[in-house]
Amino acid sequence: SERRFRDIAEFSADWIWESDANHRFTFLTGEGSQGIFGKTRWEVAGADPLTDPYWRRHKADLDARRPFRGFRFSVTWPQGNPIQHYSASGKPIFDEEGRFQGYRGTVTNETEAIVAGHRAHRADRLLRDAVDSISEGFVIFDAEDRLVMCNEAYRQMYPEIADLLIPGTTFEQIIRSAVAHGQFIDAENREEEWIVARIRQHRQIEGAVEQRLSGDRWALASERRMSDGGTAGLRINI
């Protein structure tokens, strides 16, 4: 049983830990674990439950002998190592007489996922800032023809239906609502025929299409198919 446990602990992606009745670590697998024996989790993280509400709530859970799952915290290790992000889970341990002995649980290093998430968030924000800086109307639909994103110039081109231009709205819903609001002059008195033709143009990517809009405006609508089956489009006020 001990050999089986050591094999699991050695090859597990998670660290396995134990703490005593004072919440101080008595056992931990994983590289660099020697430096934390005898310390509490908040001491390792450089936090103080007396002044930090987040850690105060966590310590209150421990003092109440409550199990916990997915408690996230960060540690800046010595020797100039970058900050690391962890997620801990644990359960209280009692002896045969019901006396509290401490906690036993696991720790997952989530640094790579969190850093990747931050990078993705920054890239998404950069993309949205770039798209909003384009003077032409820009829009993306996914492979199911549902709106993914559009910029403010696109919304301004169709002001009567701007509140409908949110992620998840289908291209057909947008077109039908725009026609119902009189946005497309050429659709007057032949609404259904025009809608069917416009949806076909959108799905078959038949090149740029001139659109006569309300308010004596004309727009050039061009669309391109993306590698994932979605559609990217431009609306230029001409």
Side-chain angles (χ1 to χ4, degrees), residues 182-213:
Q183 287 263 263
F184 297 105
I185 303 302
D186 291 340
E188 291 180 1
N189 301 320
R190 61 185 191 100
E191 286 81 1
E192 192 61 31
E193 175 188 354
W194 190 93
I195 289 172
V196 171
R198 181 67 187 95
I199 292 174
R200 186 186 67 250
Q201 291 171 341
H202 170 75
R203 291 176 177 170
Q204 295 180 359
I205 311 295
E206 297 181 352
V209 178
E210 291 183 354
Q211 298 176 340
R212 186 182 177 192
L213 305 178

Side-chain angles (χ1 to χ4, degrees), residues 19 60 113 121 134 233:
S19 59
H121 177 72
I134 300 174

Side-chain angles (χ1 to χ4, degrees), residues 98-116:
R99 292 185 294 253
F100 175 65
Q101 300 295 298
Y103 272 83
R104 180 179 298 140
T106 60
V107 173
T108 302
N109 191 327
E110 297 185 337
T111 304
E112 289 187 8
I114 290 177
V115 170

